[in-house]
Amino acid sequence: MTMPTADGFFGDYGGQFVPDSIRKALDELTQAFERYREDPEFWEEYRYYQKHFTGRPSPLYFCANLTRHCGGAKIYLKREDLNHLGAHKVNNTLGQILLAKRMGKKKIIAETGAGQHGVATAATAALMGMECAIHMGALDVRRQKLNVFRMRMMGATVVPAESGQQTLKEAVDEALAAWIRDADNTFYLLGSAVGPHPYPLMVREFQAVIGREAREQMLEAEGRLPGYCVACVGGGSNSIGIFSGFMDDPEVRLVGVEPGGRGLEYGQHAATLCLGEPGVMHGFKSYMLKDPKGEPAEVASCSAGLDYPGVGPEHAHLKDSGRASYVHVSDREALNAFFLLSRTEGIIPALESSHALAHALRLAPELSPDTILLVNLSGRGDKDVEQVERMVESGEFVPRME
């Protein structure tokens, strides 16, 4: 796997573009992470909770019905939706909160978009007996009511972000501000592979369990590696987690799938790597979508977990180096994939994961039956059912039923 430089750069991307008030807290975090990532007792405790709390390893599943339906390549799913709490996010929250306890922090602050990171944070904080506040865009609070209630059930305070577009970017802005006001006592638990160093590296390290397991399971199931590894990309945590298991295998094509939203006009999508350009946002340099003033652009997606105008710096480096390719999928394609997997396999995918699945459905018929398509099913779709039902009942979306 690619390792960043000492100052946190993956190629031209990453770093710490932050004021001195934040740099001190980041330096403390970096020193603690570097210390405990070499501590066998830390990883022993992490693996204990992964097994007994999260329920790892998550299965690798061959979609026989979906493969027959599509024709062409064999489609496999890495079932992160079967983790406790329903998504890959808990891999990261466990690691970071175990680190926070060793640092002597008393309170966890986090941001969330679709709510899956918020739910995982709230649950892990409850497990570890820590106070927890989660910032969430007011729009996302409304469209992810079930996850908001789950967070509150587990003792977390949910703080709606009322500024701007009231989505993930604003939640990050307000969570960072709250952290800096009390950095001595609080730990900022960032949910994706974004932000200033060491967060992109730290999140990848805790999500790399997905790729390690998937690689071993694929070799056991098929005796060979997949031809393609496909995952959705918002900030990029689930994708960098599974990509990490195949980074040194050039025969495995890594494909990240971004939200094309309602169209490719300004404010209608969140396809950062496909349509953005380098810039600095939230303390790190990467690709970003910009408005005419060079500020983070308005974005849109049916998926609350993908509507972010930036992307993790390692993904930017993988794009520029050619090791990974990035495509976009429209809301309509993702919603059709949401229904198709539900009907063919009895598995309801998260709308985020449905983007990756939609691209796999494009690819499969064009590939030979010898080819293996591995899709990271990063989360389950229970949280999205009410939202999709409203879209269908209103006529906003009519599912394709073939």
Side-chain angles (χ1 to χ4, degrees):
M1 291 188 292
T2 304
M3 291 301 294
T5 61
D7 49 357
F9 278 87
F10 295 89
D12 293 332
Y13 306 102
Q16 291 182 344
F17 294 83
V18 297
D20 290 341
S21 57
I22 296 180
R23 194 176 301 278
K24 178 183 176 182
L26 290 173
D27 288 346
E28 179 192 16
L29 176 59
T30 301
Q31 291 168 11
F33 176 60
E34 291 298 335
R35 174 185 174 187
Y36 287 109
R37 70 185 295 210
E38 303 297 332
D39 182 355
E41 290 186 3
F42 175 86
W43 291 109
E44 183 180 354
E45 186 175 9
Y46 177 73
R47 286 190 294 268
Y48 172 85
Y49 285 112
Q50 286 271 275
K51 179 178 180 180
H52 298 287
F53 183 72
T54 305
R56 298 205 74 92
S58 65
L60 182 73
Y61 176 73
F62 172 51
C63 295
N65 298 332
L66 186 61
T67 297
R68 282 193 297 271
H69 175 91
C70 294
K74 299 175 74 170
I75 301 172
Y76 276 85
L77 304 178
K78 179 59 174 162
R79 297 290 306 275
E80 292 299 292
D81 60 310
L82 294 180
N83 287 335
H84 176 47
L85 309 168
H88 71 292
K89 293 294 187 180
V90 68
N91 302 323
N92 177 50
T93 61
L94 273 173
Q96 289 202 45
I97 289 184
L98 288 173
L99 183 60
K101 286 180 70 70
R102 284 164 169 77
M103 293 173 67
K105 303 301 183 181
K106 305 300 181 186
K107 180 179 179 180
I108 300 297
I109 291 177
E111 86 298 327
T112 195
Q116 291 300 92
H117 173 59
V119 168
T121 301
T124 313
L127 173 70
M128 301 294 176
M130 299 185 76
E131 185 181 350
C132 180
I134 298 167
H135 295 256
M136 187 174 189
L139 173 62
D140 294 337
V141 168
R142 292 191 291 275
R143 61 182 178 176
Q144 294 290 340
K145 290 173 62 177
L146 176 61
N147 272 344
V148 171
F149 187 67
R150 293 169 77 195
M151 288 180 246
R152 289 172 172 156
M153 279 180 64
M154 291 181 283
T157 300
V158 179
V159 184
E162 303 283 355
S163 59
Q165 283 192 278
Q166 303 181 353
T167 57
L168 183 56
K169 175 192 171 293
E170 288 74 28
V172 174
D173 290 339
E174 296 188 15
L176 284 169
W179 176 42
I180 295 310
R181 286 195 294 270
D182 189 21
D184 288 342
N185 298 306
T186 60
F187 183 98
Y188 181 42
L189 204 169
L190 212 163
S192 195
V194 298
H197 180 66
Y199 281 106
L201 174 62
M202 188 162 63
V203 172
R204 186 191 75 184
E205 292 291 287
F206 294 134
Q207 293 294 359
V209 63
I210 306 172
R212 285 195 300 272
E213 286 181 4
R215 194 177 194 282
E216 293 172 2
Q217 291 167 328
M218 186 59 70
L219 289 171
E220 180 181 356
E222 291 278 350
R224 58 196 172 104
L225 297 177
Y228 291 80
C229 179
V230 183
C232 66
V233 178
S237 63
N238 93 89
S239 44
I240 208 64
I242 196 164
F243 287 179
S244 68
F246 304 97
M247 207 76 80
D248 297 328
D249 301 300
E251 68 272 29
V252 181
R253 299 184 184 185
L254 308 178
V255 185
V257 186
E258 297 188 303
R262 298 185 292 268
L264 301 184
E265 299 81 17
Y266 175 83
Q268 298 297 303
H269 66 88
T272 305
L273 286 161
C274 295
L275 300 172
E277 60 184 271
V280 174
M281 184 179 77
H282 289 151
F284 70 106
K285 180 183 178 183
S286 186
Y287 277 78
M288 61 182 283
L289 295 169
K290 299 178 182 179
D291 66 15
K293 296 181 180 179
E295 298 296 319
E298 295 182 1
V299 292
S301 172
C302 64
S303 164
L306 299 181
D307 55 0
Y308 183 64
V311 68
E314 189 170 2
H315 283 293
H317 176 59
L318 291 173
K319 171 186 167 68
D320 282 6
S321 70
R323 179 61 189 94
S325 59
Y326 296 86
V327 299
H328 54 78
V329 157
S330 69
D331 282 354
R332 184 165 297 279
E333 290 174 290
L335 285 159
N336 278 321
F338 177 89
F339 278 95
L340 184 59
L341 186 66
S342 301
R343 290 196 302 272
T344 58
E345 298 288 350
I347 298 170
I348 303 174
L351 284 177
E352 292 79 15
S353 314
S354 299
H355 284 72
L357 184 65
H359 183 63
L361 299 179
R362 288 175 181 166
L363 283 174
E366 301 173 359
L367 301 172
S368 74
D370 293 346
T371 306
I372 299 170
L373 264 172
L374 171 61
V375 179
N376 194 23
L377 197 71
S378 56
R380 66 175 178 244
D382 305 49
K383 66 183 179 60
D384 299 313
V385 169
E386 183 180 354
Q387 175 191 344
V388 174
E389 181 188 30
R390 289 196 302 268
M391 296 174 74
V392 171
E393 288 188 345
S394 70
E396 180 182 352
F397 173 73
V398 179
R400 194 171 58 210
M401 299 306 291
E402 75 271 13

